[in-house]
Amino acid sequence: MCDTTHATPHEAALSAPRPAPGRAVDPIALQPVDEVRVTVLMDNTFDALLVGDEHTIRAGMGPASTTAGQFETGRTAVGLLAEHGFSALVTVRRGDRETVLLFDTGLSPSGLVTNADRLAVDLGALQGVVLSHGHFDHAGGLGGLAARLRARRMPMVVHPQAWTRRRLHTPQSTFDMPTLSRKALDAEGFEVVERSRPSLLVDGSVLITGEVDRTTDFEHGMPAAHQAWRGDHWEHDPQVVDDQALVVHLRDRGLVVLTGCGHAGVVNIVRHARRLTGVEPLHALLGGFHLTGPAFEPVIAPTVHALQDFAPRLIAPGHCTGWRAQHALAAAMPDAWSAGSSGTTHRLVPA
């Protein structure tokens, strides 16, 4: 979630970077894939007039319609829903084999399944779910997904700290965030797999980073208002240690990195993915970058500079990135930047 308060120097120091020089001692052999398709099922915005290109498909108004008596046909076209949340369908192809994963599920119980229906996406083809972290705007659609799957057992990878109780607390107000319940998810048919370390899925073709090393000197994490319950007291929770990303190695191109909110810092995340895999080129970076609000806007300039150095072919920020960061990224990398919108599909293939 986004917050607009500032941390004190002491609180910021709690999230100081940990050194992680060089490549991983035991690099992960991430198998290259022949195609990656990322379909954004939920984002903060929907723009039916966005124009696609040879690698980007925009949903437009789409074929979906609903009853509306004021029109001559008795029906009207509908677009897609947008809400403060994120969800992406990730399809990975190696040779003639495809695997479909869901990365996050948006904010509301009905939003994800509604957009999937309007896009004619078959959620029955899902083979697994990954949660980027435990914040409710990335897990709210699990109930609707469970109802659609009808008690089918579905593997779901989460970090063990995803169950952490959290709140946003300022002198003016307190907002208790909805907290995930493992017991409820078990009952709904999810086979929960807790992992804090890097793990491989899909025959070694998809990497879930687990906890991300914090190595930059400017990505300080969440401000003082973001707190976690520690059993007998609330304390500042800057790191959101359950934050993790999904990484794929696109053959002959480089890494494709998908973030939920990027609470670990998108530069930290890219560095971590490169270090874990030993793959240097960054081909695409997609998802939430968490650069909105007074506490994060000072991080925009160094983030943009670092991302320019990575030189991705595609950068598709969405969700909690914020309009100031979107403008800065679009200006700095106009050939790579792509506007986020519910219903967008990015098709990435080797050269």
Side-chain angles (χ1 to χ4, degrees):
M1 288 293 292
C2 301
D3 184 66
T4 58
T5 59
H6 292 281
T8 66
H10 171 70
E11 289 162 337
L14 294 176
S15 59
R18 302 190 300 267
R23 293 187 176 183
V25 174
D26 186 15
I28 292 172
L30 185 59
Q31 298 299 316
V33 305
D34 299 305
E35 182 182 0
V36 184
R37 297 194 303 277
V38 179
T39 298
V40 179
L41 291 180
M42 184 59 69
D43 206 342
N44 287 35
T45 62
F46 169 65
D47 186 344
L49 300 181
L50 287 175
V51 177
D53 56 38
E54 59 179 328
H55 300 297
T56 304
I57 301 169
R58 302 294 190 178
M61 294 308 297
S65 65
T66 190
T67 301
Q70 69 270 36
F71 295 99
E72 290 185 356
T73 62
R75 301 191 67 80
T76 187
V78 293
L80 297 179
L81 301 180
E83 60 188 21
H84 185 88
F86 185 74
S87 178
L89 194 76
V90 182
T91 303
V92 175
R93 180 177 63 82
R94 286 180 66 191
D96 58 359
R97 179 179 178 183
E98 287 193 345
T99 303
V100 183
L101 301 173
L102 184 65
F103 184 76
D104 288 346
T105 65
L107 176 71
S108 67
S110 61
L112 162 68
V113 293
T114 297
N115 280 352
D117 288 344
R118 292 181 181 180
L119 291 168
V121 168
D122 178 14
L123 293 175
L126 277 179
Q127 291 159 277
V129 178
V130 177
L131 286 188
S132 64
H133 62 300
H135 280 168
F136 65 98
D137 51 329
H138 297 256
L142 287 170
L145 177 62
R148 178 59 55 86
L149 296 176
R150 297 182 180 179
R152 173 185 160 196
R153 301 303 292 177
M154 176 62 63
M156 183 170 68
V157 178
V158 303
H159 187 284
Q161 295 301 313
W163 322 110
T164 301
R165 180 183 169 195
R166 292 178 168 120
R167 70 178 186 178
L168 296 176
H169 176 69
T170 69
Q172 293 75 36
S173 65
T174 298
F175 171 61
D176 290 310
M177 298 186 186
T179 304
L180 273 176
S181 165
R182 174 161 187 169
K183 181 178 179 181
L185 293 178
D186 286 339
E188 287 179 335
F190 294 100
E191 295 180 353
V192 177
V193 179
E194 294 186 358
R195 292 177 179 171
S196 59
R197 295 183 178 182
S199 56
L200 288 173
L201 309 178
V202 194
D203 296 333
S205 298
V206 175
L207 168 66
I208 308 303
T209 62
E211 293 180 25
V212 174
D213 284 325
R214 318 298 171 102
T215 60
T216 68
D217 59 2
F218 56 88
E219 293 172 309
H220 294 150
M222 297 293 280
H226 187 262
Q227 298 180 345
W229 179 247
R230 301 308 185 193
D232 58 0
H233 69 285
W234 290 97
E235 71 176 25
H236 179 206
D237 178 25
Q239 290 195 333
V240 193
V241 295
D242 44 315
D243 185 72
Q244 54 187 358
L246 183 150
V247 182
V248 181
H249 180 193
L250 182 61
R251 190 183 309 278
D252 301 325
R253 287 290 195 175
L255 297 179
V256 176
V257 178
L258 181 61
T259 69
C261 266
H263 285 298
V266 291
V267 179
N268 281 329
I269 290 169
V270 173
R271 286 185 178 182
H272 190 67
R274 295 170 76 188
R275 181 170 177 268
L276 286 177
T277 63
V279 179
E280 292 294 320
L282 173 67
H283 182 66
L285 177 63
L286 311 92
F289 293 4
H290 215 291
L291 293 170
T292 191
F296 295 96
E297 287 174 4
V299 182
I300 293 175
T303 299
V304 171
H305 180 73
L307 293 180
Q308 283 181 291
D309 288 342
F310 292 138
R313 296 288 188 92
L314 170 68
I315 185 164
H319 183 37
C320 53
T321 302
W323 70 268
R324 292 185 188 275
Q326 291 279 14
H327 280 266
L329 289 162
M333 293 178 280
D335 294 333
W337 179 82
S338 179
S341 177
S342 292
T344 297
T345 295
H346 300 281
R347 180 176 179 265
L348 308 174
V349 295

